[in-house]
Amino acid sequence: MKLISIYFIYVLLTLSFTVAAQSLVEDANLNQDSSGNENLFTETIKIISDSKKIFILTNNNQQLGTGDFISLALDNNLAARALVAKTHQGQVGIKILKIYSLAQWGRLKRNQEVQIIKGDDSTFGKKPVEAADDTPIAKIRSEEDLYTGDVVVEDDIGVFDENKNRHIKPDNIVALTGAFYEAAEVESRGGKLRTNEFGISWAFQFADNYFAEGLYGRALMDNFPGDGSQTLANHLTARLKYNIKGPLYTFFMPYIGFHTYTISSPDAGKTNNDAVNQEELNAIDDLKKSGPVFGVTIMRRLVPGWFIKGDIGSDIINVGFAIEF
């Protein structure tokens, strides 16, 4: 009887330890599974700056703090990577660092709920393979490490925004453009010759919405003014522009300025026919022109920092791409 009692107690203890061990394991697994969602929550976009680099979000979950690295997602698809710059009155100001998907990026708008991934987003949308040790999220210690005063707090409305006096915030815009360049042929050949003119421009914002711009264009014509000769046209332009904000991230910049064409054609006027020589020299002289110019530059923002740019003026009609910095 005593032996049976001892055996019965042993069985009970074994079962209790097994159940307790299973409970501990299940609790640990439950905690581990739920921890993967702690850094995923939703907030609402309140404001998008003109440059689309600064967003104002709600902080209803109270999980965002200055220096946090976060990602924005729609329907479990990553859109952009950002950094929390400031927190103020239940809202946060973030600065976009990287765009993951232009398609998702284009869908972001005001008063829209977005998924927020705090910290590492490398496993977002992927099935976990195995548990990894948690690593602390790097934070920037002070706001001076993030900005140089670009984002300010408006106490009257309690939100963040950039310098509202400027439609384009950075000082510099550099562009690469292309255009057609035409030259009248000599009388004996008739017609016109068309070639490409490639240009580069640099605009500096010396005051709010006022730009000073310099442009250099280059066009090389083969078999002009005669067969076997080449003519190089150098186009220099100086402009003063004023920036006007249009709809849908479009900007209009009326301008006035001065331009000049310098022409280099070493073989012009060196044939054995005096009449042809004079025609070639006249054709070269017709390309040498200088004078005042006016027109308008149109810029459409593609993504933060990048534009498609076009000039329509008395000096040139071109199109290209521009970057701000």
Side-chain angles (χ1 to χ4, degrees), residues 41 58-59 61-70 82-88 91-94 116 118 137-140 143 146:
F41 49 92
T58 59
N59 193 17
N61 292 278
Q62 296 296 314
Q63 294 196 46
L64 298 178
T66 302
D68 287 338
F69 288 92
I70 64 172
L83 181 67
V84 177
K86 287 188 178 181
T87 60
H88 183 69
Q91 295 179 327
V92 296
I94 66 172
I116 305 296
K118 182 178 177 182
I137 301 171
K139 290 189 177 183
I140 294 178
E143 295 174 2
L146 307 176

Side-chain angles (χ1 to χ4, degrees), residues 51-119:
S51 64
K52 293 199 75 174
K53 291 182 178 179
I54 305 299
F55 281 47
I56 308 302
L57 307 177
T58 59
N59 193 17
N60 297 330
N61 292 278
Q62 296 296 314
Q63 294 196 46
L64 298 178
T66 302
D68 287 338
F69 288 92
I70 64 172
S71 296
L72 308 182
L74 292 173
D75 301 328
N76 293 322
N77 293 312
L78 291 173
R81 187 70 168 163
L83 181 67
V84 177
K86 287 188 178 181
T87 60
H88 183 69
Q89 295 184 357
Q91 295 179 327
V92 296
I94 66 172
K95 182 173 183 179
I96 301 300
L97 303 177
K98 179 181 179 181
I99 296 175
Y100 288 130
S101 169
L102 289 177
Q104 298 299 322
W105 171 259
R107 295 175 55 196
L108 297 178
K109 58 185 179 180
R110 296 184 180 183
N111 300 319
Q112 179 184 43
E113 284 194 352
V114 292
Q115 295 171 295
I116 305 296
I117 303 94
K118 182 178 177 182

Side-chain angles (χ1 to χ4, degrees), residues 1 19 41 53 64 100-101 103 134 138 142 157 183 223 243 250 262 267 281 285 299 305 315:
M1 189 68 180
V19 171
F41 49 92
K53 291 182 178 179
L64 298 178
Y100 288 130
S101 169
D134 293 334
S142 66
I157 58 176
N223 298 316
N243 187 23
T250 303
T262 60
D267 297 326
L281 293 175
D285 288 337
M299 297 178 59
D315 52 337

